[in-house]
Amino acid sequence: MSARDEIFASIRRSLNVGPVDAPRRDAVVARLAQAPVGIIPRRGHGDAAERLATFKAEAERVQATVAEVATAADVPAEIARYLRENNLPATIRFGDDPRLADMPWAETALEVARGPSEGDDLNAVAAAFAGVAETGTLALVSGADNPTTLNFLPDNHFVVLFADDLVADLESVFARLREKYGPGALPRTVNFITGPSRSADIEQTLLLGAHGPRRLHVVVARGLS
Amino acid sequence: MSVAATTPRFKANVHEALHDLRLQGALPHARNFIGRRADAAARLPEFDALRDSARAIKDHTLAHLDLYLEAYEKKVVEAGGHVHYARDSDEAVAVILGICKARDAKVVTKGKSMISEEIGLNAALEREGINAVETDLGEYVIQLRGEAPSHIIAPAIHVSRDDIEADFRRAHRDLAPDRDLSQPEQLLGEARAILRDRFLSADIGLTGANFLVAETGTSIIVTNEGNGDLTQILPKVHVVLASLEKITPTLNDVAQILRVLARSATGQDMSVYTTLSTGPRRPGDPDGPEEYHVVLLDNGRSATLGGPFAEMLRCIRCGACMNHCPVYHAVGGHAYGWVYPGPMGAVLTPLLIGVAEGGNLPNASTFCGRCEAVCPMRIPLPKLMRIWREREFARGLTSPFARAAIRLWAFFASRPTLYGLAVEPAMRLLARIGRRRGRFAWLPFAGGWTRGRDFPAPQGATFQSRWRAKSGATR
C-alpha cells in the first residue's frame, strides 16, 4: 500500500468511518462551499471614517506610519517627502500596476525603476489589494502588477491603499479574493502585512528590519483621481 | 529517523539545567510573554469566544480529516503543485532528498519548521552534502551553536546576547575581527547581510506551514521577520513540510484561528507576515518559485484521531503553554530532551516517540493548570498528562518505590476511616513538634523535599476533621 493510501486508511480506521459516508461528505462539501464566518470582532467595523481611524491607530501601534492624501495624483509627492525627511535616497521601484504607473512621478525628483527586485533596491512601492481596519493590516497579491519580491527585499516599503479598498476584517478580504479570482482559487501569493519586519530573538528585545523592510509607510488615497 | 531523545535521562537534564548559571540568567526572558499575552487578550472582548470558535473548527476538521485532506490535495494539484505523503520521518526525509536531487540542489534555505526538527532534516541534508541554512534569526543562532531549539516560537531564548556575539565572531571569520557587535541591532544587521546572500543563492526554499487550507489548496506561514517569505519567493523550488493536522477547511476558518494564534504566542494582534502560498508562480508572474511541493507527515498522528489524545491535534504551536509553565521557567526547553518542550511537549513527546522513552515528561508537571487556562485551543493538557501517567503506571514503567508508595497511599485514600485514623494523630504530633519554629528543616522519608526547602508544620487539625466540624455546625 502506498504511503498515501495507508495514511487515509489509518485516519478512517481511527475515526471508525468508511470512505463513502454521505452525511460526512455533505458536511464537508457544504462547509467548503459556504465558508461560514465565525466570530467577527467589532473593532474593525463602523463607517468609512471610523474604519480609517481604526486602521491608522492599529498600523501605528505596530510601528508602521500612515499618511493620507486626497487623490492618487498626490501619492508621488508624499513618497518624495517621506524619503527627503528621512534622508533616504530618492529612488523608487514598482511593478506594472496601472494605478501606480499612471501617477505623476515625473513631477517629483524621484528616480523610478520598474519590475521585480533583484535585491539591490532601497525603496519599493506597491498598491494594496485591500486594507484591514481591525489590525492595521495590508493585503497584497502577487503578479506583474505588484511583484512579491518588492514587498520583502527593499529596506523601505511604501504601500498605497485606496480608501475604497479598506475593509473591516480578514473575512471581507477573502470575500473580495473569491470575487476576483473565483471560488477556491487564489493568486500564487497573498501577503498580509502588519507593520515592518521585526525580530525579538535576541533576549526578547524588539528590533525592526529583521529580513524584510525596516520601514513601512502606508499612503492612503481617499480618491482615485 | 528522528532526532535522538535524551528524555529518558530527564532528571539528569534538569539537574544540569538548574545549575547552569548562563541558562538561569536567560530563562527569565520567557516570562515576558505572560504580560504580553494577557494585554492582547484583554484588548479584544471577543477573545474567549474566538477560542471556542477555533476549538470547534479544529474538532470538526479532525472528525472529517480524510475528506478535507482529499479536498486540499485536489486543490493543490489544480494549482500546479505536488503533494507527497510520508508515513514517518524517514519517508519525509527521503521525499525531500528526492526533490533536492532532481534539482541538483547545493543550498537549501529554511524558514522556521518544527516538523523539520521532528524528522531531523538538517542532519540528513548535510549527510548528502547539501547545505541547509536556517534563516529565522533564532534558528540561525542555534544552528551556529549546533543546538536544537529550546522553545517552539523563540528557539534561541536560552542564549544570551553575549553568547550570540561570540558565536558570530567564531562563525563569520571573513568579517573584521575588531568590528563592534555590542548592540543587538549590530548582531541583527550582520545576520541580515549574511543571510541575504544565502536567500539569493539558494536552490530550494523549505518552509513549514501554520495552516493548509482545503478551500484553496493554500499553505500559510505566520512570521515576523520575513525570512519565510524570502525563503519561498527567491529559489526555483518551494517545499512545504507540514503535519496532517494543519489542514483547515476554509480561509474564514483560518481567520478565526489567526485571531487567537499571535495573541497567545507573542501578544501581537497579528504577526507581521501572514503569507498565503498557492501552487507555483503563474504565467506572467515576474517572481516566485517555479515548483511547489507539499510534504505531508503523519508520524503517528492519524492513529491518534478518535482516541484520548486526539485533542492534542488541535495544537497550533503558539507556545503559550510553555510561556506560562513553572517547570519550563525553571529548566528551559532543552531539559525536556526532544523536539517539543513544555506542557504541549509533555503530551506530544510520548505520542511520537513512545511512553517508554518520553514518559518522564508528563511527570514533570505541578498540575497547576496554567497551560490549560491559556491554551487558545482549550486543550486539557493536565488531563492528557494524567492519562500518560496512568499508562506509564499500567505498563509497569514507574519505579518500584513509587509504585509501592502509590499503592500504599491508594490503600488508605480509598478507606476514609482508616485514612483519618492514620493521618489525624500523625498531624497532631507533627503540629506539636513543629509548633515553635513553624517549619521542619528535615523529616523522615521527605529528604527529597527538605534538602532544598523547609516543610511547613501542620496547623493542628486536618482538612477532614475541619470539614466534619464545619458541616456539623451548619447542619
Side-chain angles (χ1 to χ4, degrees), chain A residues 1-4 6-8 10-12 14-15 17-19 21 23-25 27-29 31-43 58 61-62 115-119 134-135 137 142-155 169-172 174-175 177-178 183-214, chain B residues 29 32-33 36 43-44 46 49-50 53 57 60 62-71 73 75 85-87 91 135-138 154-157 159-161 164 184-185 187-188 192 195-196 199-200 214-216 218 224-227 229-230 232-234 238 244 249-253 255-256 258-259 263 268-282 284-287 289 292 298 302-303 305-306:
Chain A
M1 216 172 8
S2 73
R4 181 189 185 282
E6 205 167 295
I7 288 171
F8 275 92
S10 172
I11 294 171
R12 287 179 173 136
S14 295
L15 293 174
V17 295
D21 181 337
R24 288 179 79 239
R25 208 165 270 281
V28 166
V29 169
R31 191 175 191 98
L32 291 175
Q34 291 155 12
V37 296
I39 310 279
I40 309 282
R42 288 174 49 86
R43 187 201 286 174
E58 294 298 322
R61 266 187 106 235
V62 293
S117 177
E118 304 279 324
E134 182 184 332
T135 46
T137 299
S142 59
D145 280 1
N146 292 287
T148 306
T149 40
L150 293 183
N151 300 341
F152 294 96
L153 286 169
D155 276 16
D169 43 45
L170 287 171
E171 285 82 350
S172 305
F174 294 144
L177 285 166
R178 285 187 199 102
L186 286 177
R188 151 64 202 173
T189 307
V190 180
N191 293 120
F192 287 102
I193 299 179
T194 312
S197 161
R198 67 199 59 203
S199 175
D201 274 339
I202 303 173
E203 295 190 341
Q204 291 285 295
T205 310
L206 179 68
L207 302 172
L208 297 184
H211 287 291
R214 299 164 207 269
Chain B
H29 295 298
N32 294 338
F33 287 118
R36 291 182 198 151
R43 230 171 72 81
L44 190 72
E46 297 88 350
L50 282 159
S53 173
I57 288 166
H60 166 83
L62 293 170
H64 300 82
L65 187 61
D66 51 332
L67 301 174
Y68 282 119
L69 204 49
E70 279 179 0
E73 179 187 40
K75 280 292 178 185
Y85 289 85
R87 278 167 287 209
E91 281 191 353
T135 62
D136 172 88
L137 180 60
I157 198 154
V159 187
S160 72
R161 195 217 61 84
I164 297 173
E185 290 80 1
L187 294 169
L188 176 70
R192 178 184 165 112
L195 287 169
R196 189 54 77 91
F199 285 127
L200 292 165
E215 179 188 357
T216 51
T218 299
N224 280 315
E225 297 184 6
N227 63 305
D229 289 280
L230 292 172
Q232 63 167 287
I233 57 178
L234 294 173
H238 177 199
L244 299 178
T250 68
L251 294 169
N252 287 346
D253 293 326
Q256 295 290 290
L258 276 177
R259 289 192 178 93
R263 289 183 173 92
Q268 292 167 284
D269 288 6
M270 277 278 277
S271 299
V272 176
Y273 301 115
T274 300
T275 299
L276 284 57
S277 308
T278 313
R281 72 160 78 174
R282 308 297 158 78
D285 280 2
D287 49 23
Y292 176 77
D298 184 350
S302 61
L305 290 164

Side-chain angles (χ1 to χ4, degrees), chain A residues 7-221:
Chain A
I7 288 171
F8 275 92
S10 172
I11 294 171
R12 287 179 173 136
R13 199 162 48 240
S14 295
L15 293 174
N16 201 18
V17 295
V20 198
D21 181 337
R24 288 179 79 239
R25 208 165 270 281
D26 292 348
V28 166
V29 169
R31 191 175 191 98
L32 291 175
Q34 291 155 12
V37 296
I39 310 279
I40 309 282
R42 288 174 49 86
R43 187 201 286 174
H45 289 240
D47 62 23
E50 285 166 330
R51 282 205 304 275
L52 180 55
T54 306
F55 174 86
K56 194 161 182 277
E58 294 298 322
E60 285 169 354
R61 266 187 106 235
V62 293
Q63 291 81 30
T65 48
V66 182
E68 287 175 59
V69 297
T71 70
D74 302 316
V75 170
E78 166 55 25
I79 291 173
R81 177 203 66 79
Y82 183 95
L83 290 171
R84 198 169 53 242
E85 287 182 11
N86 287 284
N87 280 325
L88 295 166
T91 60
I92 208 78
R93 178 181 282 276
F94 54 85
D96 295 344
D97 196 318
R99 295 176 297 175
L100 298 175
D102 293 347
M103 289 173 180
W105 299 97
E107 292 172 15
T108 66
L110 295 173
E111 188 185 311
V112 174
R114 303 287 297 274
S117 177
E118 304 279 324
D120 40 17
D121 305 287
L122 276 174
N123 312 315
V125 188
F129 176 77
V132 181
E134 182 184 332
T135 46
T137 299
L138 298 157
L140 294 103
V141 295
S142 59
D145 280 1
N146 292 287
T148 306
T149 40
L150 293 183
N151 300 341
F152 294 96
L153 286 169
D155 276 16
N156 308 298
H157 194 204
F158 297 89
V159 179
V160 181
L161 172 63
F162 291 93
D164 286 349
D165 297 328
L166 178 54
V167 298
D169 43 45
L170 287 171
E171 285 82 350
S172 305
V173 180
F174 294 144
R176 284 178 165 228
L177 285 166
R178 285 187 199 102
E179 201 174 302
K180 174 154 184 196
Y181 295 92
L186 286 177
R188 151 64 202 173
T189 307
V190 180
N191 293 120
F192 287 102
I193 299 179
T194 312
S197 161
R198 67 199 59 203
S199 175
D201 274 339
I202 303 173
E203 295 190 341
Q204 291 285 295
T205 310
L206 179 68
L207 302 172
L208 297 184
H211 287 291
R214 299 164 207 269
R215 296 185 181 87
L216 173 65
H217 186 58
V218 186
V219 184
V220 179

Side-chain angles (χ1 to χ4, degrees), chain B residues 157-178:
Chain B
I157 198 154
H158 61 287
V159 187
S160 72
R161 195 217 61 84
D162 291 351
D163 288 338
I164 297 173
E165 177 177 348
D167 295 332
F168 279 19
R169 290 194 186 283
R170 180 173 48 76
H172 306 157
R173 291 255 172 81
D174 298 346
L175 301 174
D178 58 348

